[in-house]
Amino acid sequence: MSSKKTEFIVSDLISKIFQQKFWNNKLPTQRDLASAYQVSRFTIQKALNRLEAIGLIESIQGDGIYIRERALGNPLVYNSLTEVPYQDMQSRLLYLKQIQPDPEVMRIFNLPPGEPVWEFQRIRIVRYEISQLETGWLPFRMFPELSREVLEDSIQNYALKKKYRISHFVTSYQPALLTREQADLLNCKKGTPAMHLTSRGVLKDGSLFICSKIFAIHYECTYVVPFNKDVYLSRRGKKGGKAQR
């Protein structure tokens, strides 16, 4: 069965989940889903694995497949890498160096003059295909023993091992065209369309532990955002359903 069909099932189930179409937050059985979509159970398993990977559902052995209630009230960002298992992703470090940050990086981390940061650049390889070029910065005082092994494994995992409590990530997206240097590193042509992501990792105490700029190719992203009536009315120039005077 084509991946296009799997993508449709994933999108359709996400839509139905947020429409609250499933009784008691429980999905039908794999057999029933396969019958409803007229596909094999293998295709249904692939779709459900992706929904589980992005944290929208959970399988309880002997009981069934349930929707995670906490996921329903929050924005959902589902991108082309979300469901990829970590064992299918690799990082190849291009460089790691300790630098004196420029004013922009100092402002991002709220650093005093003279405090160094780590700067790194790495290639992300997804299922044997080069997909991302990432340049990032971390405060030296938080990670004095940062190494190649960490950057070619998982920065998030390393931060958790260091007992830092990660709260959330703030990510912005912009379309971009690759420069010659970027294209050479990503093994594609100059001017290839890409997604430019700027991401900041925030700890529970409000401080940042990483900032990175990523150029990604073959990238797709879907948002599910709860409707906020107050924001909508504010943007329409209205308050409480009446036009402001």
Side-chain angles (χ1 to χ4, degrees):
M1 183 59 59
S2 69
S3 59
K4 186 175 181 179
K5 188 65 175 181
T6 305
E7 290 287 350
F8 170 78
I9 295 171
V10 170
S11 298
D12 194 57
L13 285 175
I14 290 175
S15 176
K16 286 180 168 58
I17 286 171
F18 278 88
Q19 292 175 65
Q20 299 183 5
K21 294 292 186 180
F22 298 111
W23 173 255
N24 202 28
N25 280 344
K26 185 177 182 180
L27 266 63
T29 65
Q30 291 187 19
R31 185 184 302 276
D32 289 341
L33 288 172
S35 176
Y37 288 105
Q38 297 186 345
V39 297
S40 68
R41 289 186 62 182
F42 175 73
T43 300
I44 292 298
Q45 288 172 1
K46 286 175 61 179
L48 294 177
N49 286 342
R50 295 176 71 170
L51 293 180
E52 191 163 12
I54 63 177
L56 194 53
I57 64 172
E58 61 179 337
S59 298
I60 301 177
Q61 189 172 5
D63 192 4
I65 307 163
Y66 286 87
I67 299 164
R68 292 182 181 270
E69 292 187 22
R70 289 185 299 175
L72 294 178
N74 298 301
L76 170 69
V77 179
Y78 166 65
N79 63 54
S80 50
L81 293 182
T82 303
E83 82 283 359
V84 178
Y86 280 107
Q87 61 265 28
D88 290 343
M89 294 191 292
Q90 296 177 312
S91 296
R92 186 172 75 230
L93 185 68
L94 300 179
Y95 69 75
L96 170 65
K97 57 187 178 182
Q98 181 182 328
I99 66 167
Q100 290 296 321
D102 62 23
E104 178 183 349
V105 174
M106 288 178 64
R107 285 193 296 270
I108 288 172
F109 290 104
N110 195 28
L111 298 175
E115 184 167 323
V117 298
W118 289 111
E119 181 179 279
F120 70 88
Q121 190 173 75
R122 62 182 180 174
I123 294 290
R124 305 299 299 276
I125 303 168
V126 180
R127 291 175 174 151
Y128 306 105
E129 184 175 24
I130 295 175
S131 296
Q132 294 186 356
L133 172 65
E134 178 182 13
T135 305
W137 299 267
L138 301 95
F140 179 83
R141 58 179 170 79
M142 295 179 64
F143 304 97
E145 300 174 352
L146 190 65
S147 65
R148 169 181 289 273
E149 289 72 24
V150 170
L151 291 165
E152 292 190 342
D153 181 27
S154 168
I155 296 173
Q156 295 178 45
N157 188 49
Y158 184 65
L160 293 173
K161 286 182 177 179
K162 298 280 287 184
K163 306 301 182 183
Y164 291 118
R165 300 173 62 208
I166 301 174
S167 173
H168 59 277
F169 287 85
V170 179
T171 305
S172 61
Y173 303 80
Q174 290 182 320
L177 299 177
L178 296 179
T179 65
R180 169 64 65 188
E181 180 181 2
Q182 293 165 347
D184 288 344
L185 292 171
L186 288 169
N187 195 27
C188 60
K189 295 181 179 180
K190 176 185 176 182
T192 296
M195 188 67 73
H196 181 203
L197 297 82
T198 301
S199 180
R200 301 184 184 188
V202 185
L203 300 179
K204 293 286 188 179
D205 64 5
S207 60
L208 299 186
F209 74 96
I210 185 173
C211 175
S212 61
K213 296 183 178 181
I214 302 167
F215 288 88
I217 55 178
H218 315 305
Y219 189 87
E220 297 178 358
C221 189
T222 299
Y223 299 85
V224 180
V225 182
F227 177 68
N228 188 314
K229 184 178 180 181
D230 292 336
V231 172
Y232 169 76
L233 292 176
S234 175
R235 293 179 65 194
R236 294 279 295 176
K238 298 179 180 181
K239 186 174 182 181
K242 296 180 179 180
Q244 292 180 336
R245 295 179 180 269

mmCIF file of all heavy atoms in Angstrom, residues 70-96:
data_model
loop_
_atom_site.group_PDB
_atom_site.id
_atom_site.type_symbol
_atom_site.label_atom_id
_atom_site.label_comp_id
_atom_site.label_asym_id
_atom_site.label_seq_id
_atom_site.Cartn_x
_atom_site.Cartn_y
_atom_site.Cartn_z
ATOM 1 N N ARG A 70 -4.587 14.604 27.268
ATOM 2 C CA ARG A 70 -3.783 15.812 27.395
ATOM 3 C C ARG A 70 -3.428 16.404 26.037
ATOM 4 O O ARG A 70 -3.180 17.597 25.912
ATOM 5 C CB ARG A 70 -2.497 15.533 28.175
ATOM 6 C CG ARG A 70 -2.712 15.290 29.663
ATOM 7 C CD ARG A 70 -1.401 15.154 30.383
ATOM 8 N NE ARG A 70 -0.625 14.030 29.870
ATOM 9 C CZ ARG A 70 0.609 13.739 30.256
ATOM 10 N NH1 ARG A 70 1.215 14.495 31.155
ATOM 11 N NH2 ARG A 70 1.241 12.698 29.756
ATOM 12 N N ALA A 71 -3.409 15.564 25.000
ATOM 13 C CA ALA A 71 -3.051 16.047 23.667
ATOM 14 C C ALA A 71 -4.184 16.841 23.023
ATOM 15 O O ALA A 71 -3.932 17.657 22.136
ATOM 16 C CB ALA A 71 -2.662 14.876 22.775
ATOM 17 N N LEU A 72 -5.412 16.625 23.465
ATOM 18 C CA LEU A 72 -6.544 17.239 22.789
ATOM 19 C C LEU A 72 -6.653 18.733 23.031
ATOM 20 O O LEU A 72 -7.125 19.471 22.174
ATOM 21 C CB LEU A 72 -7.847 16.552 23.229
ATOM 22 C CG LEU A 72 -7.999 15.093 22.811
ATOM 23 C CD1 LEU A 72 -9.303 14.530 23.343
ATOM 24 C CD2 LEU A 72 -7.935 14.955 21.297
ATOM 25 N N GLY A 73 -6.240 19.202 24.192
ATOM 26 C CA GLY A 73 -6.386 20.620 24.511
ATOM 27 C C GLY A 73 -5.191 21.464 24.139
ATOM 28 O O GLY A 73 -5.146 22.654 24.444
ATOM 29 N N ASN A 74 -4.198 20.884 23.479
ATOM 30 C CA ASN A 74 -2.979 21.605 23.159
ATOM 31 C C ASN A 74 -2.726 21.605 21.657
ATOM 32 O O ASN A 74 -3.184 20.707 20.945
ATOM 33 C CB ASN A 74 -1.779 20.941 23.860
ATOM 34 C CG ASN A 74 -1.922 20.968 25.364
ATOM 35 O OD1 ASN A 74 -2.023 22.014 25.963
ATOM 36 N ND2 ASN A 74 -1.947 19.793 25.976
ATOM 37 N N PRO A 75 -2.000 22.618 21.177
ATOM 38 C CA PRO A 75 -1.636 22.597 19.759
ATOM 39 C C PRO A 75 -0.817 21.351 19.432
ATOM 40 O O PRO A 75 0.002 20.904 20.225
ATOM 41 C CB PRO A 75 -0.792 23.873 19.605
ATOM 42 C CG PRO A 75 -1.194 24.745 20.743
ATOM 43 C CD PRO A 75 -1.521 23.807 21.871
ATOM 44 N N LEU A 76 -1.048 20.800 18.253
ATOM 45 C CA LEU A 76 -0.297 19.644 17.793
ATOM 46 C C LEU A 76 0.498 20.050 16.568
ATOM 47 O O LEU A 76 -0.064 20.588 15.614
ATOM 48 C CB LEU A 76 -1.241 18.494 17.440
ATOM 49 C CG LEU A 76 -0.607 17.286 16.724
ATOM 50 C CD1 LEU A 76 0.327 16.533 17.665
ATOM 51 C CD2 LEU A 76 -1.688 16.362 16.185
ATOM 52 N N VAL A 77 1.799 19.835 16.618
ATOM 53 C CA VAL A 77 2.643 20.084 15.464
ATOM 54 C C VAL A 77 3.173 18.737 15.009
ATOM 55 O O VAL A 77 3.879 18.043 15.735
ATOM 56 C CB VAL A 77 3.817 21.027 15.809
ATOM 57 C CG1 VAL A 77 4.688 21.243 14.587
ATOM 58 C CG2 VAL A 77 3.295 22.355 16.329
ATOM 59 N N TYR A 78 2.805 18.375 13.803
ATOM 60 C CA TYR A 78 3.172 17.076 13.262
ATOM 61 C C TYR A 78 4.002 17.308 12.017
ATOM 62 O O TYR A 78 3.517 17.872 11.030
ATOM 63 C CB TYR A 78 1.893 16.286 12.934
ATOM 64 C CG TYR A 78 2.106 15.075 12.069
ATOM 65 C CD1 TYR A 78 2.840 13.989 12.530
ATOM 66 C CD2 TYR A 78 1.568 15.018 10.785
ATOM 67 C CE1 TYR A 78 3.017 12.875 11.729
ATOM 68 C CE2 TYR A 78 1.739 13.911 9.983
ATOM 69 C CZ TYR A 78 2.469 12.838 10.473
ATOM 70 O OH TYR A 78 2.663 11.737 9.690
ATOM 71 N N ASN A 79 5.278 16.935 12.049
ATOM 72 C CA ASN A 79 6.121 17.160 10.884
ATOM 73 C C ASN A 79 6.685 15.848 10.366
ATOM 74 O O ASN A 79 6.483 14.788 10.947
ATOM 75 C CB ASN A 79 7.239 18.169 11.180
ATOM 76 C CG ASN A 79 8.204 17.676 12.246
ATOM 77 O OD1 ASN A 79 8.766 16.595 12.150
ATOM 78 N ND2 ASN A 79 8.402 18.485 13.287
ATOM 79 N N SER A 80 7.408 15.947 9.262
ATOM 80 C CA SER A 80 7.863 14.752 8.559
ATOM 81 C C SER A 80 8.920 13.975 9.328
ATOM 82 O O SER A 80 9.260 12.860 8.950
ATOM 83 C CB SER A 80 8.411 15.139 7.184
ATOM 84 O OG SER A 80 9.350 16.191 7.288
ATOM 85 N N LEU A 81 9.436 14.536 10.425
ATOM 86 C CA LEU A 81 10.429 13.826 11.227
ATOM 87 C C LEU A 81 9.864 13.318 12.549
ATOM 88 O O LEU A 81 10.500 12.524 13.229
ATOM 89 C CB LEU A 81 11.632 14.734 11.527
ATOM 90 C CG LEU A 81 12.498 15.141 10.326
ATOM 91 C CD1 LEU A 81 13.659 15.999 10.801
ATOM 92 C CD2 LEU A 81 13.008 13.926 9.581
ATOM 93 N N THR A 82 8.657 13.786 12.901
ATOM 94 C CA THR A 82 8.116 13.479 14.224
ATOM 95 C C THR A 82 8.033 11.983 14.492
ATOM 96 O O THR A 82 8.335 11.514 15.587
ATOM 97 C CB THR A 82 6.714 14.106 14.382
ATOM 98 O OG1 THR A 82 6.800 15.513 14.164
ATOM 99 C CG2 THR A 82 6.176 13.859 15.779
ATOM 100 N N GLU A 83 7.596 11.232 13.481
ATOM 101 C CA GLU A 83 7.361 9.811 13.703
ATOM 102 C C GLU A 83 8.575 8.948 13.418
ATOM 103 O O GLU A 83 8.515 7.727 13.580
ATOM 104 C CB GLU A 83 6.173 9.340 12.844
ATOM 105 C CG GLU A 83 6.507 9.016 11.399
ATOM 106 C CD GLU A 83 6.689 10.235 10.523
ATOM 107 O OE1 GLU A 83 6.531 11.359 11.039
ATOM 108 O OE2 GLU A 83 6.987 10.066 9.336
ATOM 109 N N VAL A 84 9.695 9.556 13.009
ATOM 110 C CA VAL A 84 10.875 8.760 12.677
ATOM 111 C C VAL A 84 11.558 8.294 13.965
ATOM 112 O O VAL A 84 11.922 9.123 14.801
ATOM 113 C CB VAL A 84 11.879 9.571 11.829
ATOM 114 C CG1 VAL A 84 13.126 8.747 11.535
ATOM 115 C CG2 VAL A 84 11.221 10.011 10.525
ATOM 116 N N PRO A 85 11.739 7.000 14.178
ATOM 117 C CA PRO A 85 12.422 6.521 15.382
ATOM 118 C C PRO A 85 13.853 7.059 15.440
ATOM 119 O O PRO A 85 14.507 7.251 14.408
ATOM 120 C CB PRO A 85 12.423 4.988 15.216
ATOM 121 C CG PRO A 85 11.331 4.710 14.231
ATOM 122 C CD PRO A 85 11.285 5.888 13.313
ATOM 123 N N TYR A 86 14.338 7.311 16.656
ATOM 124 C CA TYR A 86 15.679 7.883 16.808
ATOM 125 C C TYR A 86 16.753 6.978 16.221
ATOM 126 O O TYR A 86 17.784 7.454 15.754
ATOM 127 C CB TYR A 86 15.963 8.178 18.284
ATOM 128 C CG TYR A 86 15.338 9.467 18.764
ATOM 129 C CD1 TYR A 86 14.226 9.455 19.597
ATOM 130 C CD2 TYR A 86 15.852 10.694 18.372
ATOM 131 C CE1 TYR A 86 13.638 10.640 20.025
ATOM 132 C CE2 TYR A 86 15.272 11.884 18.800
ATOM 133 C CZ TYR A 86 14.173 11.852 19.630
ATOM 134 O OH TYR A 86 13.589 13.023 20.047
ATOM 135 N N GLN A 87 16.503 5.669 16.209
ATOM 136 C CA GLN A 87 17.512 4.770 15.649
ATOM 137 C C GLN A 87 17.630 4.909 14.135
ATOM 138 O O GLN A 87 18.606 4.440 13.538
ATOM 139 C CB GLN A 87 17.229 3.310 16.021
ATOM 140 C CG GLN A 87 15.905 2.768 15.523
ATOM 141 C CD GLN A 87 14.819 2.868 16.572
ATOM 142 O OE1 GLN A 87 14.868 3.757 17.427
ATOM 143 N NE2 GLN A 87 13.853 1.953 16.545
ATOM 144 N N ASP A 88 16.636 5.559 13.506
ATOM 145 C CA ASP A 88 16.693 5.791 12.064
ATOM 146 C C ASP A 88 17.239 7.168 11.715
ATOM 147 O O ASP A 88 17.229 7.572 10.554
ATOM 148 C CB ASP A 88 15.302 5.632 11.443
ATOM 149 C CG ASP A 88 14.831 4.182 11.443
ATOM 150 O OD1 ASP A 88 15.682 3.292 11.616
ATOM 151 O OD2 ASP A 88 13.627 3.943 11.291
ATOM 152 N N MET A 89 17.690 7.914 12.731
ATOM 153 C CA MET A 89 18.279 9.228 12.513
ATOM 154 C C MET A 89 19.720 9.229 13.005
ATOM 155 O O MET A 89 20.019 8.663 14.059
ATOM 156 C CB MET A 89 17.483 10.322 13.228
ATOM 157 C CG MET A 89 16.083 10.517 12.688
ATOM 158 S SD MET A 89 15.276 12.027 13.319
ATOM 159 C CE MET A 89 15.070 11.593 15.051
ATOM 160 N N GLN A 90 20.580 9.861 12.249
ATOM 161 C CA GLN A 90 21.984 9.983 12.625
ATOM 162 C C GLN A 90 22.425 11.423 12.471
ATOM 163 O O GLN A 90 21.850 12.189 11.694
ATOM 164 C CB GLN A 90 22.863 9.087 11.749
ATOM 165 C CG GLN A 90 22.604 7.594 11.892
ATOM 166 C CD GLN A 90 23.454 6.789 10.931
ATOM 167 O OE1 GLN A 90 23.539 7.090 9.741
ATOM 168 N NE2 GLN A 90 24.104 5.762 11.441
ATOM 169 N N SER A 91 23.442 11.805 13.225
ATOM 170 C CA SER A 91 24.038 13.130 13.096
ATOM 171 C C SER A 91 25.520 12.977 12.810
ATOM 172 O O SER A 91 26.190 12.133 13.420
ATOM 173 C CB SER A 91 23.839 13.943 14.383
ATOM 174 O OG SER A 91 22.470 14.178 14.628
ATOM 175 N N ARG A 92 26.013 13.796 11.870
ATOM 176 C CA ARG A 92 27.438 13.812 11.583
ATOM 177 C C ARG A 92 27.959 15.213 11.880
ATOM 178 O O ARG A 92 27.556 16.184 11.247
ATOM 179 C CB ARG A 92 27.704 13.445 10.120
ATOM 180 C CG ARG A 92 29.187 13.312 9.813
ATOM 181 C CD ARG A 92 29.427 12.772 8.421
ATOM 182 N NE ARG A 92 29.171 13.784 7.403
ATOM 183 C CZ ARG A 92 28.412 13.612 6.339
ATOM 184 N NH1 ARG A 92 27.783 12.460 6.152
ATOM 185 N NH2 ARG A 92 28.241 14.568 5.454
ATOM 186 N N LEU A 93 28.834 15.303 12.863
ATOM 187 C CA LEU A 93 29.341 16.594 13.297
ATOM 188 C C LEU A 93 30.324 17.158 12.275
ATOM 189 O O LEU A 93 31.246 16.469 11.831
ATOM 190 C CB LEU A 93 30.025 16.461 14.659
ATOM 191 C CG LEU A 93 30.511 17.768 15.295
ATOM 192 C CD1 LEU A 93 29.318 18.640 15.686
ATOM 193 C CD2 LEU A 93 31.375 17.475 16.518
ATOM 194 N N LEU A 94 30.117 18.427 11.911
ATOM 195 C CA LEU A 94 31.041 19.116 11.011
ATOM 196 C C LEU A 94 32.086 19.896 11.800
ATOM 197 O O LEU A 94 33.257 19.923 11.438
ATOM 198 C CB LEU A 94 30.268 20.043 10.074
ATOM 199 C CG LEU A 94 29.228 19.351 9.173
ATOM 200 C CD1 LEU A 94 28.512 20.375 8.311
ATOM 201 C CD2 LEU A 94 29.896 18.287 8.305
ATOM 202 N N TYR A 95 31.646 20.545 12.879
ATOM 203 C CA TYR A 95 32.615 21.202 13.769
ATOM 204 C C TYR A 95 31.979 21.500 15.120
ATOM 205 O O TYR A 95 30.756 21.600 15.239
ATOM 206 C CB TYR A 95 33.194 22.479 13.153
ATOM 207 C CG TYR A 95 32.237 23.652 13.013
ATOM 208 C CD1 TYR A 95 31.844 24.427 14.114
ATOM 209 C CD2 TYR A 95 31.743 24.012 11.766
ATOM 210 C CE1 TYR A 95 30.995 25.508 13.971
ATOM 211 C CE2 TYR A 95 30.880 25.091 11.618
ATOM 212 C CZ TYR A 95 30.509 25.842 12.730
ATOM 213 O OH TYR A 95 29.662 26.907 12.593
ATOM 214 N N LEU A 96 32.806 21.645 16.122
ATOM 215 C CA LEU A 96 32.423 22.060 17.470
ATOM 216 C C LEU A 96 33.530 22.949 17.996
ATOM 217 O O LEU A 96 34.699 22.548 17.999
ATOM 218 C CB LEU A 96 32.238 20.850 18.395
ATOM 219 C CG LEU A 96 32.063 21.156 19.896
ATOM 220 C CD1 LEU A 96 30.781 21.929 20.143
ATOM 221 C CD2 LEU A 96 32.086 19.861 20.716
#
